[in-house]
Amino acid sequence: MDDLLEFSMGEAGRRVRARQFSFPELLEACLAREAATRDLNAFNALYRDQARNVAQASQTLLEQGYDLGPLQGMPIAIKANIALAGQEMHAGSRILAGSLAQRDAGVVRRLKRAGAIIIGSTNMHEFAWGGTTDNPHYGPSGNAWDGNRIPAGSSGGSGVAAAVRSALGALGTDTGGSIRLPAAMNGVTGLRPGVGRIATDGIFPLAASLDTVGPLAGYAEDCALMFSALTGDTVPAALPDLHGLRIGLLGEYSEKVQPDVARAYHDLTDWFRAAGGRCETLSFSGLEQAVNALVLINLAEPAALHAPWLADRAGEYGEDVRLLLQAGLGISAVEYLQAQRYRTALRQQMVEKFNQVDVILAPTLPFTAPLKGQTQVRIGDDEESVLTGNMRFNALASLAALPALNLPAGFDSAGLPIGMQLIGPDGGEQRLMGIAACFQRESDYHRRTPVMVNR
Protein backbone atom coordinates (compact mmCIF):
# COMPACT_ATOMS: atom_id res chain seq x y z
CA MET A 1 0.00 0.00 0.00
CA ASP A 2 2.95 2.33 0.56
CA ASP A 3 3.50 2.42 -3.20
CA LEU A 4 0.19 4.25 -3.60
CA LEU A 5 1.57 7.18 -1.63
CA GLU A 6 4.44 7.88 -4.03
CA PHE A 7 2.15 9.49 -6.59
CA SER A 8 1.03 13.06 -7.00
CA MET A 9 -2.71 13.62 -6.70
CA GLY A 10 -2.99 13.98 -10.44
CA GLU A 11 -1.16 10.70 -11.06
CA ALA A 12 -3.09 8.89 -8.32
CA GLY A 13 -6.35 10.04 -9.88
CA ARG A 14 -5.26 8.86 -13.32
CA ARG A 15 -4.35 5.43 -11.93
CA VAL A 16 -7.68 5.11 -10.14
CA ARG A 17 -9.43 5.94 -13.42
CA ALA A 18 -7.26 3.26 -15.10
CA ARG A 19 -8.52 0.81 -12.40
CA GLN A 20 -5.08 0.12 -10.98
CA PHE A 21 -6.39 0.83 -7.49
CA SER A 22 -9.40 2.56 -5.88
CA PHE A 23 -10.15 5.63 -3.80
CA PRO A 24 -10.85 3.47 -0.71
CA GLU A 25 -7.47 1.76 -1.14
CA LEU A 26 -5.75 5.15 -1.40
CA LEU A 27 -7.48 6.34 1.78
CA GLU A 28 -6.49 3.19 3.66
CA ALA A 29 -2.88 3.72 2.63
CA CYS A 30 -3.00 7.25 4.14
CA LEU A 31 -4.61 5.95 7.34
CA ALA A 32 -1.96 3.24 7.64
CA ARG A 33 0.79 5.81 7.13
CA GLU A 34 -0.74 7.98 9.87
CA ALA A 35 -0.75 5.01 12.24
CA ALA A 36 2.90 4.27 11.43
CA THR A 37 3.95 7.86 12.14
CA ARG A 38 1.51 8.66 14.96
CA ASP A 39 4.23 9.62 17.43
CA LEU A 40 4.90 12.70 15.26
CA ASN A 41 1.49 13.94 16.43
CA ALA A 42 0.50 15.45 13.10
CA PHE A 43 -3.24 15.06 13.73
CA ASN A 44 -5.53 16.08 16.56
CA ALA A 45 -8.46 14.18 15.06
CA LEU A 46 -9.03 11.66 12.28
CA TYR A 47 -12.45 11.33 10.65
CA ARG A 48 -12.01 7.68 9.70
CA ASP A 49 -15.62 6.55 9.37
CA GLN A 50 -16.73 9.65 7.51
CA ALA A 51 -13.68 9.52 5.24
CA ARG A 52 -14.26 5.85 4.45
CA ASN A 53 -17.88 6.51 3.56
CA VAL A 54 -16.89 9.40 1.28
CA ALA A 55 -14.13 7.34 -0.37
CA GLN A 56 -16.57 4.55 -1.20
CA ALA A 57 -19.15 7.04 -2.43
CA SER A 58 -16.52 8.73 -4.61
CA GLN A 59 -15.57 5.38 -6.10
CA THR A 60 -19.19 4.53 -6.83
CA LEU A 61 -19.79 7.91 -8.43
CA LEU A 62 -16.74 7.51 -10.64
CA GLU A 63 -17.78 4.02 -11.72
CA GLN A 64 -21.20 5.38 -12.62
CA GLY A 65 -19.70 8.06 -14.84
CA TYR A 66 -19.67 11.01 -12.41
CA ASP A 67 -16.15 12.42 -12.62
CA LEU A 68 -15.78 15.44 -10.32
CA GLY A 69 -12.25 16.28 -11.37
CA PRO A 70 -8.67 15.73 -10.20
CA LEU A 71 -9.35 16.17 -6.45
CA GLN A 72 -12.09 13.54 -6.40
CA GLY A 73 -11.24 10.89 -3.81
CA MET A 74 -8.03 12.62 -2.68
CA PRO A 75 -7.41 12.53 1.13
CA ILE A 76 -6.73 16.08 2.37
CA ALA A 77 -6.14 17.30 5.93
CA ILE A 78 -7.19 20.64 7.38
CA LYS A 79 -5.58 22.71 10.13
CA ALA A 80 -7.35 22.76 13.50
CA ASN A 81 -8.43 26.40 13.12
CA ILE A 82 -10.52 25.59 10.01
CA ALA A 83 -14.18 24.72 10.60
CA LEU A 84 -15.65 21.38 9.54
CA ALA A 85 -19.37 21.17 10.30
CA GLY A 86 -20.17 18.95 13.29
CA GLN A 87 -16.53 18.58 14.34
CA GLU A 88 -14.54 20.27 17.08
CA MET A 89 -12.70 23.41 15.96
CA HIS A 90 -10.37 24.33 18.82
CA ALA A 91 -7.58 26.19 16.97
CA GLY A 92 -5.05 24.35 19.12
CA SER A 93 -6.39 25.98 22.28
CA ARG A 94 -7.94 24.99 25.58
CA ILE A 95 -10.28 27.98 25.40
CA LEU A 96 -12.12 26.68 22.33
CA ALA A 97 -11.91 23.00 23.30
CA GLY A 98 -15.24 21.28 22.76
CA SER A 99 -16.57 23.94 20.38
CA LEU A 100 -18.36 22.26 17.48
CA ALA A 101 -18.42 24.01 14.14
CA GLN A 102 -21.92 24.82 12.95
CA ARG A 103 -20.95 24.99 9.29
CA ASP A 104 -18.00 24.33 7.02
CA ALA A 105 -15.41 26.99 6.38
CA GLY A 106 -15.53 28.30 2.83
CA VAL A 107 -12.34 26.44 1.90
CA VAL A 108 -13.82 23.16 3.16
CA ARG A 109 -17.00 23.69 1.12
CA ARG A 110 -14.89 24.21 -1.99
CA LEU A 111 -12.77 21.11 -1.36
CA LYS A 112 -15.89 19.03 -0.83
CA ARG A 113 -17.44 20.32 -4.07
CA ALA A 114 -14.25 19.22 -5.84
CA GLY A 115 -14.68 15.73 -4.39
CA ALA A 116 -11.83 15.79 -1.86
CA ILE A 117 -11.99 13.65 1.28
CA ILE A 118 -11.36 15.51 4.54
CA ILE A 119 -9.30 12.93 6.40
CA GLY A 120 -8.61 14.80 9.65
CA SER A 121 -7.65 17.92 11.60
CA THR A 122 -3.96 18.69 12.05
CA ASN A 123 -2.07 19.87 15.11
CA MET A 124 -0.99 23.50 15.24
CA HIS A 125 0.64 26.09 17.45
CA GLU A 126 -2.00 27.43 19.83
CA PHE A 127 -4.19 30.03 18.10
CA ALA A 128 -1.61 30.00 15.25
CA TRP A 129 0.69 32.32 17.27
CA GLY A 130 4.02 30.56 17.10
CA GLY A 131 6.49 28.78 14.87
CA THR A 132 7.20 25.46 16.63
CA THR A 133 3.87 23.57 17.01
CA ASP A 134 4.94 22.88 20.57
CA ASN A 135 1.36 22.79 21.78
CA PRO A 136 0.85 22.53 25.56
CA HIS A 137 -2.73 21.28 25.22
CA TYR A 138 -2.46 18.72 22.40
CA GLY A 139 1.23 17.88 22.59
CA PRO A 140 4.15 18.87 20.35
CA SER A 141 4.49 17.67 16.78
CA GLY A 142 7.77 16.19 15.57
CA ASN A 143 9.59 16.89 12.32
CA ALA A 144 9.06 14.38 9.50
CA TRP A 145 12.83 13.94 9.13
CA ASP A 146 13.83 13.89 12.80
CA GLY A 147 11.22 13.54 15.52
CA ASN A 148 13.48 15.33 18.00
CA ARG A 149 13.26 18.50 15.92
CA ILE A 150 10.45 20.96 15.40
CA PRO A 151 8.24 20.83 12.30
CA ALA A 152 7.89 24.65 12.49
CA GLY A 153 4.49 26.24 12.73
CA SER A 154 1.97 27.31 13.16
CA SER A 155 0.74 24.79 10.55
CA GLY A 156 3.20 22.17 11.77
CA GLY A 157 0.82 19.22 11.67
CA SER A 158 -0.18 20.05 8.10
CA GLY A 159 3.47 20.14 7.05
CA VAL A 160 4.18 16.78 8.67
CA ALA A 161 1.06 15.13 7.21
CA ALA A 162 1.95 16.31 3.70
CA ALA A 163 5.57 15.16 4.13
CA VAL A 164 4.90 11.65 5.46
CA ARG A 165 1.91 11.32 3.10
CA SER A 166 -0.69 10.56 5.76
CA ALA A 167 -2.64 13.00 3.58
CA LEU A 168 -1.87 13.78 -0.04
CA GLY A 169 -2.33 17.46 0.70
CA ALA A 170 -3.22 19.73 3.60
CA LEU A 171 -4.54 23.20 4.29
CA GLY A 172 -2.63 25.60 6.51
CA THR A 173 -2.89 29.25 7.37
CA ASP A 174 -0.10 31.77 6.93
CA THR A 175 0.16 35.11 8.72
CA GLY A 176 3.90 35.62 9.11
CA GLY A 177 5.11 32.39 7.51
CA SER A 178 2.98 29.60 8.97
CA ILE A 179 2.61 27.68 5.69
CA ARG A 180 6.08 28.35 4.30
CA LEU A 181 7.92 27.50 7.53
CA PRO A 182 6.55 23.95 8.02
CA ALA A 183 6.81 23.38 4.27
CA ALA A 184 10.51 24.25 4.44
CA MET A 185 11.35 22.28 7.57
CA ASN A 186 9.47 19.17 6.40
CA GLY A 187 10.50 19.26 2.74
CA VAL A 188 7.21 19.94 0.93
CA THR A 189 5.75 22.61 -1.32
CA GLY A 190 3.65 25.23 0.46
CA LEU A 191 1.83 28.22 -1.01
CA ARG A 192 0.91 31.39 0.82
CA PRO A 193 -1.61 33.12 -1.49
CA GLY A 194 -1.88 36.88 -1.61
CA VAL A 195 -4.14 38.40 1.04
CA GLY A 196 -7.77 38.12 -0.06
CA ARG A 197 -7.17 35.60 -2.85
CA ILE A 198 -8.94 32.89 -0.84
CA ALA A 199 -11.72 33.84 1.58
CA THR A 200 -10.99 33.05 5.24
CA ASP A 201 -14.59 32.68 6.47
CA GLY A 202 -14.86 29.89 9.02
CA ILE A 203 -11.17 30.15 9.97
CA PHE A 204 -10.21 31.42 13.42
CA PRO A 205 -8.05 34.50 12.78
CA LEU A 206 -4.65 35.49 14.12
CA ALA A 207 -4.02 38.93 12.58
CA ALA A 208 -6.78 39.71 10.13
CA SER A 209 -4.82 42.13 7.93
CA LEU A 210 -2.11 39.49 7.35
CA ASP A 211 -4.00 36.17 7.41
CA THR A 212 -4.15 33.84 4.42
CA VAL A 213 -5.05 30.18 3.84
CA GLY A 214 -3.39 27.87 1.35
CA PRO A 215 -2.17 24.39 0.39
CA LEU A 216 0.78 22.22 1.39
CA ALA A 217 1.62 19.12 -0.64
CA GLY A 218 4.52 17.05 -1.83
CA TYR A 219 4.20 18.29 -5.40
CA ALA A 220 3.78 21.82 -6.74
CA GLU A 221 1.21 20.48 -9.22
CA ASP A 222 -0.90 19.28 -6.29
CA CYS A 223 -0.77 22.72 -4.68
CA ALA A 224 -1.98 24.07 -8.03
CA LEU A 225 -4.90 21.63 -8.08
CA MET A 226 -5.91 22.61 -4.55
CA PHE A 227 -5.49 26.32 -5.23
CA SER A 228 -7.67 26.07 -8.32
CA ALA A 229 -10.40 24.30 -6.36
CA LEU A 230 -10.22 26.97 -3.65
CA THR A 231 -10.33 29.93 -6.04
CA GLY A 232 -12.19 28.67 -9.09
CA ASP A 233 -9.17 29.49 -11.25
CA THR A 234 -8.47 27.19 -14.18
CA VAL A 235 -5.48 24.93 -13.65
CA PRO A 236 -2.87 26.31 -16.09
CA ALA A 237 -0.79 24.22 -18.42
CA ALA A 238 2.65 23.53 -16.98
CA LEU A 239 5.31 26.02 -18.00
CA PRO A 240 7.32 24.43 -20.84
CA ASP A 241 10.53 26.10 -19.70
CA LEU A 242 11.89 29.11 -17.83
CA HIS A 243 13.72 30.77 -20.72
CA GLY A 244 13.68 34.53 -20.20
CA LEU A 245 12.35 34.37 -16.64
CA ARG A 246 13.62 37.35 -14.64
CA ILE A 247 14.63 36.39 -11.09
CA GLY A 248 15.29 39.08 -8.50
CA LEU A 249 17.79 38.45 -5.69
CA LEU A 250 18.11 40.25 -2.36
CA GLY A 251 21.90 40.55 -2.25
CA GLU A 252 23.39 40.92 1.22
CA TYR A 253 20.02 40.42 2.91
CA SER A 254 20.11 36.76 1.80
CA GLU A 255 23.69 36.08 2.89
CA LYS A 256 23.44 35.64 6.68
CA VAL A 257 22.42 31.98 6.57
CA GLN A 258 23.87 28.61 7.50
CA PRO A 259 26.47 27.33 4.98
CA ASP A 260 24.26 24.50 3.70
CA VAL A 261 21.41 26.95 3.13
CA ALA A 262 23.79 29.27 1.26
CA ARG A 263 24.93 26.35 -0.91
CA ALA A 264 21.35 25.39 -1.78
CA TYR A 265 20.53 29.01 -2.57
CA HIS A 266 23.47 29.39 -4.95
CA ASP A 267 22.75 25.99 -6.52
CA LEU A 268 19.19 27.09 -7.24
CA THR A 269 20.28 30.40 -8.79
CA ASP A 270 22.72 28.45 -10.96
CA TRP A 271 19.89 26.13 -12.01
CA PHE A 272 17.71 29.09 -12.97
CA ARG A 273 20.50 30.51 -15.10
CA ALA A 274 21.08 27.16 -16.78
CA ALA A 275 17.34 26.94 -17.48
CA GLY A 276 17.47 30.25 -19.33
CA GLY A 277 16.54 32.61 -16.52
CA ARG A 278 18.19 35.95 -15.82
CA CYS A 279 19.13 36.71 -12.20
CA GLU A 280 19.69 40.25 -11.01
CA THR A 281 20.26 41.74 -7.58
CA LEU A 282 17.58 44.19 -6.48
CA SER A 283 18.10 47.27 -4.34
CA PHE A 284 15.68 47.77 -1.43
CA SER A 285 15.75 50.20 1.47
CA GLY A 286 14.80 49.32 5.03
CA LEU A 287 14.47 45.54 4.76
CA GLU A 288 16.15 45.20 8.14
CA GLN A 289 13.03 46.78 9.71
CA ALA A 290 10.67 44.16 8.32
CA VAL A 291 10.79 41.78 11.28
CA ASN A 292 10.08 44.56 13.79
CA ALA A 293 7.13 45.79 11.75
CA LEU A 294 5.70 42.29 11.42
CA VAL A 295 6.12 41.64 15.14
CA LEU A 296 4.30 44.89 16.06
CA ILE A 297 1.32 44.09 13.83
CA ASN A 298 1.34 40.46 14.88
CA LEU A 299 1.27 41.49 18.54
CA ALA A 300 -1.36 44.21 18.32
CA GLU A 301 -4.03 42.60 16.14
CA PRO A 302 -4.26 39.27 18.01
CA ALA A 303 -4.22 41.08 21.37
CA ALA A 304 -7.24 43.15 20.32
CA LEU A 305 -9.10 39.95 19.40
CA HIS A 306 -8.15 38.08 22.58
CA ALA A 307 -8.52 40.97 25.05
CA PRO A 308 -11.79 39.67 26.62
CA TRP A 309 -10.33 36.20 27.20
CA LEU A 310 -7.06 37.67 28.50
CA ALA A 311 -9.10 39.52 31.11
CA ASP A 312 -11.12 36.48 32.25
CA ARG A 313 -9.31 33.31 31.16
CA ALA A 314 -5.61 34.14 30.88
CA GLY A 315 -4.61 30.99 32.78
CA GLU A 316 -6.05 28.78 30.05
CA TYR A 317 -3.47 29.87 27.46
CA GLY A 318 -0.11 28.21 27.05
CA GLU A 319 2.58 30.40 28.59
CA ASP A 320 4.31 31.40 25.34
CA VAL A 321 1.10 32.49 23.63
CA ARG A 322 -0.23 34.23 26.74
CA LEU A 323 2.96 36.29 27.05
CA LEU A 324 2.81 37.30 23.39
CA LEU A 325 -0.84 38.31 23.63
CA GLN A 326 -0.26 40.26 26.84
CA ALA A 327 2.70 42.01 25.22
CA GLY A 328 0.36 43.00 22.40
CA LEU A 329 -1.87 44.84 24.85
CA GLY A 330 1.02 47.24 25.43
CA ILE A 331 1.49 48.20 21.76
CA SER A 332 0.51 51.84 21.29
CA ALA A 333 -1.57 53.17 18.42
CA VAL A 334 1.48 55.16 17.31
CA GLU A 335 3.64 52.02 17.09
CA TYR A 336 0.93 50.11 15.22
CA LEU A 337 0.40 52.90 12.71
CA GLN A 338 4.13 53.30 12.16
CA ALA A 339 4.35 49.58 11.41
CA GLN A 340 1.48 49.89 8.96
CA ARG A 341 3.16 52.86 7.27
CA TYR A 342 6.32 50.81 6.88
CA ARG A 343 4.20 48.02 5.47
CA THR A 344 2.72 50.36 2.84
CA ALA A 345 6.17 51.60 1.86
CA LEU A 346 7.58 48.06 1.62
CA ARG A 347 4.68 46.91 -0.52
CA GLN A 348 5.18 49.87 -2.84
CA GLN A 349 8.86 48.99 -3.24
CA MET A 350 8.10 45.35 -3.97
CA VAL A 351 5.30 46.11 -6.42
CA GLU A 352 7.67 48.42 -8.30
CA LYS A 353 10.35 45.72 -8.42
CA PHE A 354 7.96 43.46 -10.30
CA ASN A 355 8.31 45.85 -13.23
CA GLN A 356 11.95 44.67 -13.35
CA VAL A 357 11.58 40.98 -12.45
CA ASP A 358 8.98 38.22 -12.61
CA VAL A 359 9.79 36.59 -9.26
CA ILE A 360 11.95 37.29 -6.21
CA LEU A 361 14.04 34.44 -4.80
CA ALA A 362 15.21 34.18 -1.19
CA PRO A 363 15.77 31.44 1.37
CA THR A 364 12.64 30.53 3.30
CA LEU A 365 14.72 30.21 6.46
CA PRO A 366 18.32 30.99 7.38
CA PHE A 367 18.62 27.57 9.07
CA THR A 368 17.17 24.05 9.00
CA ALA A 369 14.92 22.56 11.67
CA PRO A 370 16.11 23.30 15.25
CA LEU A 371 15.81 20.81 18.08
CA LYS A 372 12.69 20.94 20.20
CA GLY A 373 13.18 23.51 22.93
CA GLN A 374 16.04 25.23 21.11
CA THR A 375 15.60 29.00 21.11
CA GLN A 376 18.85 30.16 19.48
CA VAL A 377 20.58 28.98 16.28
CA ARG A 378 24.22 29.64 15.45
CA ILE A 379 24.90 31.24 12.09
CA GLY A 380 28.61 31.82 11.56
CA ASP A 381 29.96 33.69 14.57
CA ASP A 382 26.54 34.91 15.69
CA GLU A 383 23.42 33.44 17.19
CA GLU A 384 19.91 34.25 16.00
CA SER A 385 16.67 33.53 17.82
CA VAL A 386 14.42 30.94 16.20
CA LEU A 387 11.56 33.47 16.33
CA THR A 388 13.35 36.23 14.39
CA GLY A 389 14.97 33.72 12.03
CA ASN A 390 11.53 32.35 11.19
CA MET A 391 10.38 35.82 10.17
CA ARG A 392 13.47 37.31 8.53
CA PHE A 393 12.60 36.28 4.97
CA ASN A 394 8.95 35.41 5.44
CA ALA A 395 8.06 38.89 6.70
CA LEU A 396 8.54 40.40 3.25
CA ALA A 397 5.65 38.72 1.45
CA SER A 398 3.49 38.81 4.58
CA LEU A 399 3.81 42.55 5.04
CA ALA A 400 3.43 43.25 1.32
CA ALA A 401 0.35 40.96 1.12
CA LEU A 402 1.95 39.14 -1.83
CA PRO A 403 1.93 35.46 -2.76
CA ALA A 404 4.94 33.33 -1.85
CA LEU A 405 5.83 29.67 -2.17
CA ASN A 406 8.28 27.36 -0.42
CA LEU A 407 10.18 25.14 -2.82
CA PRO A 408 12.11 22.08 -1.52
CA ALA A 409 15.64 22.79 -2.74
CA GLY A 410 18.07 20.47 -0.97
CA PHE A 411 19.20 18.90 2.29
CA ASP A 412 21.82 19.90 4.83
CA SER A 413 24.68 17.74 6.10
CA ALA A 414 22.38 16.28 8.78
CA GLY A 415 19.82 15.21 6.16
CA LEU A 416 17.31 17.96 7.01
CA PRO A 417 15.30 19.66 4.24
CA ILE A 418 16.20 23.13 2.96
CA GLY A 419 13.51 25.36 1.49
CA MET A 420 13.76 28.31 -0.88
CA GLN A 421 11.09 30.97 -1.25
CA LEU A 422 9.64 32.36 -4.44
CA ILE A 423 7.73 35.65 -4.06
CA GLY A 424 5.46 36.86 -6.84
CA PRO A 425 3.35 39.88 -7.73
CA ASP A 426 -0.37 40.22 -7.01
CA GLY A 427 -2.19 37.36 -8.71
CA GLY A 428 1.06 35.50 -9.37
CA GLU A 429 0.25 32.28 -7.49
CA GLN A 430 -0.13 30.08 -10.57
CA ARG A 431 3.16 31.29 -12.04
CA LEU A 432 4.96 30.50 -8.77
CA MET A 433 3.57 26.97 -8.83
CA GLY A 434 4.46 26.62 -12.50
CA ILE A 435 8.05 27.63 -11.80
CA ALA A 436 8.19 25.16 -8.91
CA ALA A 437 6.77 22.40 -11.12
CA CYS A 438 9.48 23.07 -13.71
CA PHE A 439 12.15 22.65 -11.04
CA GLN A 440 10.49 19.49 -9.71
CA ARG A 441 10.59 17.90 -13.15
CA GLU A 442 14.39 17.94 -12.85
CA SER A 443 14.91 17.44 -9.10
CA ASP A 444 13.88 14.78 -6.62
CA TYR A 445 14.04 16.64 -3.29
CA HIS A 446 10.24 16.68 -3.03
CA ARG A 447 9.99 12.92 -3.75
CA ARG A 448 12.36 11.67 -1.07
CA THR A 449 10.78 9.71 1.76
CA PRO A 450 11.18 11.27 5.21
CA VAL A 451 13.37 9.41 7.66
CA MET A 452 10.52 9.09 10.19
CA VAL A 453 8.53 6.96 7.72
CA ASN A 454 11.26 4.30 7.47
CA ARG A 455 12.14 3.83 11.12
Side-chain angles (χ1 to χ4, degrees):
M1 292 180 70
D2 282 350
D3 292 344
L4 276 60
L5 301 181
E6 296 178 1
F7 305 121
S8 68
M9 289 190 220
E11 181 62 22
R14 287 188 285 272
R15 288 175 181 259
V16 170
R17 287 163 177 81
R19 300 190 178 185
Q20 295 180 18
F21 53 86
S22 67
F23 292 138
E25 289 173 319
L26 183 62
L27 173 66
E28 292 303 325
C30 287
L31 291 171
R33 180 62 58 83
E34 187 282 328
T37 57
R38 188 163 297 163
D39 57 345
L40 296 179
N41 198 29
F43 286 88
N44 294 144
L46 286 169
Y47 311 131
R48 294 181 186 86
D49 292 343
Q50 183 183 68
R52 284 171 171 145
N53 290 338
V54 175
Q56 186 56 61
S58 294
Q59 187 67 32
T60 301
L61 282 171
L62 186 65
E63 291 171 356
Q64 296 301 314
Y66 291 85
D67 193 327
L68 303 181
L71 288 190
Q72 183 172 355
M74 296 297 115
I76 291 176
I78 60 173
K79 190 175 177 178
N81 60 345
I82 300 174
L84 178 66
Q87 300 292 346
E88 185 180 21
M89 199 281 283
H90 51 66
S93 74
R94 180 178 168 189
I95 286 175
L96 292 178
S99 300
L100 298 183
Q102 299 302 304
R103 58 179 298 185
D104 289 337
V107 288
V108 172
R109 292 196 301 273
R110 295 182 190 98
L111 288 176
K112 285 182 174 180
R113 283 200 296 267
I117 300 169
I118 308 302
I119 189 173
S121 171
T122 57
N123 197 23
M124 60 181 285
H125 209 107
E126 183 181 7
F127 282 122
W129 205 163
T132 65
T133 313
D134 184 1
N135 190 299
H137 313 297
Y138 299 92
S141 293
N143 189 282
W145 294 83
D146 181 344
N148 295 315
R149 296 179 182 272
I150 65 169
S154 62
S155 311
S158 292
V160 175
V164 302
R165 310 287 279 175
S166 50
L168 295 195
L171 286 184
T173 60
D174 189 307
T175 303
S178 289
I179 287 173
R180 293 161 286 166
L181 293 168
M185 287 196 194
N186 293 284
V188 299
T189 308
L191 173 72
R192 169 204 163 84
V195 172
R197 283 289 275 135
I198 300 174
T200 56
D201 59 294
I203 300 175
F204 197 90
L206 176 60
S209 74
L210 298 164
D211 289 346
T212 61
V213 56
L216 300 93
Y219 294 79
E221 65 183 83
D222 290 343
C223 285
L225 292 177
M226 292 174 68
F227 180 79
S228 294
L230 296 173
T231 60
D233 290 0
T234 302
V235 180
L239 294 177
D241 59 59
L242 301 182
H243 185 77
L245 184 75
R246 301 170 300 169
I247 304 105
L249 309 177
L250 298 181
E252 292 183 2
Y253 193 76
S254 296
E255 293 178 3
K256 188 182 176 184
V257 297
Q258 288 178 336
D260 287 336
V261 176
R263 172 187 48 78
Y265 178 64
H266 293 302
D267 286 349
L268 186 56
T269 57
D270 288 344
W271 181 87
F272 274 123
R273 291 187 180 99
R278 302 197 305 270
C279 297
E280 62 176 287
T281 300
L282 302 174
S283 176
F284 285 91
S285 63
L287 291 187
E288 66 280 356
Q289 301 173 40
V291 170
N292 287 338
L294 181 61
V295 168
L296 283 169
I297 296 168
N298 223 9
L299 286 173
E301 291 188 7
L305 176 67
H306 287 263
W309 286 333
L310 288 170
D312 298 333
R313 304 176 67 179
E316 296 180 52
Y317 291 94
E319 183 181 14
D320 65 329
V321 172
R322 176 177 54 79
L323 291 174
L324 287 167
L325 291 171
Q326 289 175 334
L329 295 175
I331 301 299
S332 70
V334 170
E335 291 172 310
Y336 178 74
L337 289 173
Q338 286 174 333
Q340 289 288 7
R341 288 193 188 102
Y342 171 84
R343 183 181 181 185
T344 299
L346 175 65
R347 174 176 165 81
Q348 183 177 352
Q349 281 193 80
M350 295 192 74
V351 168
E352 289 173 354
K353 297 304 181 188
F354 286 115
N355 293 322
Q356 297 176 232
V357 299
D358 301 307
V359 64
I360 295 173
L361 173 66
T364 304
L365 282 157
F367 43 70
T368 53
L371 293 165
K372 291 178 179 177
Q374 186 176 352
T375 60
Q376 300 284 322
V377 176
R378 179 162 290 280
I379 300 176
D381 294 330
D382 300 320
E383 288 197 342
E384 182 166 19
S385 77
V386 172
L387 179 63
T388 59
N390 281 349
M391 290 188 280
R392 176 140 53 95
F393 300 113
N394 289 286
L396 305 180
S398 290
L399 289 168
L402 294 173
L405 176 143
N406 176 75
L407 174 66
F411 290 84
D412 72 4
S413 58
L416 299 171
I418 297 169
M420 292 295 146
Q421 184 174 191
L422 301 173
I423 304 172
D426 289 323
E429 291 89 353
Q430 295 287 16
R431 171 174 274 187
L432 295 181
M433 291 181 286
I435 294 168
C438 278
F439 180 69
Q440 290 178 356
R441 286 200 295 264
E442 298 188 20
S443 65
D444 70 348
Y445 302 124
H446 62 295
R447 291 195 297 269
R448 297 187 191 180
T449 303
V451 170
M452 298 304 291
V453 171
N454 294 322
R455 288 167 296 168

